[in-house]
Amino acid sequence: MSFKKGIVGLVAFAAAALAGAAGALAGNVGAPVDWQWDLQAAATPVMERMISFHNMLLIIIVAITVFVFLLLAIIVVRFNARANPTPSKTTHNTMLEMLWTGVPVIILIVIAVPSFKLLYYQDRTPEADMTIEAIGNQWFWSYEYPDHDELYFDAIMLEEDELTDGQPYMLATDYNVVVPVDTTVRVLVSSVDVIHAWAMPSFGVKMDAVPGRVNETWFRATEEGIYYGMCSELCGVLHGFMPIAVEVVSQEAFAEWLVWAEEEFGAREPGDVTIDVAQAPAGN
């Protein structure tokens, strides 16, 4: 391959990557897109802070990388055997030793302060407007709305031939978790069998579901839409087939959904749905 063709190919790759990133920001907010090379767009205050922290770290590590590269280049050019046949035997430069000890400490403090603030903000659950229980099963999620007449349903991954309206394969479910926009939602995460993990990239949420334990997290979605996640803990043979779909709607639409859900799920009880390993989705 010629140098010119290589440059053309690199430019085409960069253009495709930028187009994919633009697509992620433009509309497909809650799901990954082809050629995406950045984090999913933020849909909650927690994810906004995580992206801001990530961008700050990116600037720091790029600056360190450039500095080290330039320092190595100077050493290679100015202090090789040909350019500097008689090397210096100077040792214990006090100022230099103070700098290469002190500067990294300052950098770590600059990183640590916003890191601890973010961890506290993410871990501290504010006063919630509503609560949802997410229960991990092998291999699907069950949801309960304890604030709304103990509303309970299971969410099963849709097969490829069941998808409609551009739903993403292996991410769409037969029933979505529906929550109102601009509402603080407490999520109680548990499991009935093995360790799972309830993860939503656009929300900045990842919480382990541990048998015999109830873990707590929260989110407040600021934009309407459907957001997708999945179990992010290796939980067995169908680990890759238990996605999460959260639909964020207006307050009015949520009230209408509650009326429908009470009729749809009113007679269902926990454990009504089971999955046979022998009927695993194609590709497993």
Side-chain angles (χ1 to χ4, degrees):
M1 178 186 292
S2 66
F3 177 76
K4 184 176 180 180
K5 290 183 178 179
I7 293 297
V8 171
L10 183 60
V11 170
F13 173 81
L18 289 173
L25 295 176
N28 209 348
V29 177
V33 297
D34 293 339
W35 297 99
Q36 184 174 348
W37 64 341
D38 200 357
L39 301 174
Q40 290 187 21
T44 65
V46 170
M47 190 59 183
E48 290 174 0
R49 294 180 183 226
M50 291 177 69
I51 290 178
S52 177
F53 182 62
H54 165 269
N55 293 340
M56 184 197 75
L57 289 182
L58 185 60
I59 294 173
I60 292 175
I61 63 177
V62 168
I64 293 174
T65 302
V66 171
F67 171 75
V68 173
F69 176 80
L70 292 177
L71 192 62
L72 288 175
I74 292 172
I75 292 172
V76 169
V77 172
R78 294 189 57 184
F79 299 100
N80 59 70
R82 185 187 307 172
N84 189 43
T86 305
S88 171
K89 296 183 180 180
T90 302
T91 60
H92 295 87
N93 186 307
T94 304
M95 179 59 67
L96 186 60
E97 292 180 355
M98 290 177 62
L99 285 175
W100 72 39
T101 301
V103 171
V105 170
I106 294 173
I107 293 174
L108 290 176
I109 293 175
V110 170
I111 293 174
V113 172
S115 173
F116 289 141
K117 291 176 64 177
L118 175 60
L119 287 173
Y120 176 77
Y121 183 77
Q122 184 179 14
D123 186 61
R124 175 194 57 87
T125 303
E127 184 175 353
D129 299 314
M130 63 177 293
T131 299
I132 291 177
E133 296 182 19
I135 306 162
N137 304 268
Q138 290 183 313
W139 287 269
F140 62 95
W141 291 95
S142 300
Y143 298 97
E144 186 169 350
Y145 288 64
D147 301 332
H148 301 88
D149 298 325
E150 304 294 334
L151 186 66
Y152 181 94
F153 63 91
D154 303 306
I156 312 298
M157 189 191 83
L158 293 176
E159 298 286 354
E160 193 167 11
D161 58 358
E162 297 175 320
L163 299 175
T164 59
D165 300 328
Q167 292 175 311
Y169 179 46
M170 297 182 67
L171 288 175
T173 57
D174 55 352
Y175 294 110
N176 297 337
V177 180
V178 180
V179 297
V181 69
D182 293 325
T183 300
T184 301
V185 181
R186 177 192 293 114
V187 185
L188 304 178
V189 185
S190 61
S191 171
V192 298
D193 37 52
V194 299
I195 299 177
H196 302 278
W198 200 84
M200 290 294 297
S202 293
F203 292 174
V205 171
K206 179 181 180 294
M207 180 58 66
D208 283 346
V210 182
R213 180 186 179 94
V214 178
N215 289 329
E216 181 177 314
T217 186
W218 70 282
F219 66 85
R220 183 170 64 250
T222 55
E223 295 183 25
E224 295 182 25
I226 301 179
Y227 301 89
Y228 297 99
M230 62 180 63
C231 175
S232 59
E233 188 71 52
L234 294 176
C235 59
V237 63
L238 300 187
H239 157 70
F241 302 97
M242 51 182 301
I244 304 164
V246 178
E247 185 172 356
V248 181
V249 299
S250 65
Q251 295 285 349
E252 295 76 13
F254 179 70
E256 294 176 1
W257 178 83
L258 281 177
V259 174
W260 173 87
E262 289 173 359
E263 297 179 357
E264 179 73 12
F265 306 125
R268 303 183 68 176
E269 296 291 338
D272 282 353
V273 174
T274 57
I275 292 182
D276 188 353
V277 177
Q279 298 177 349
N284 178 60

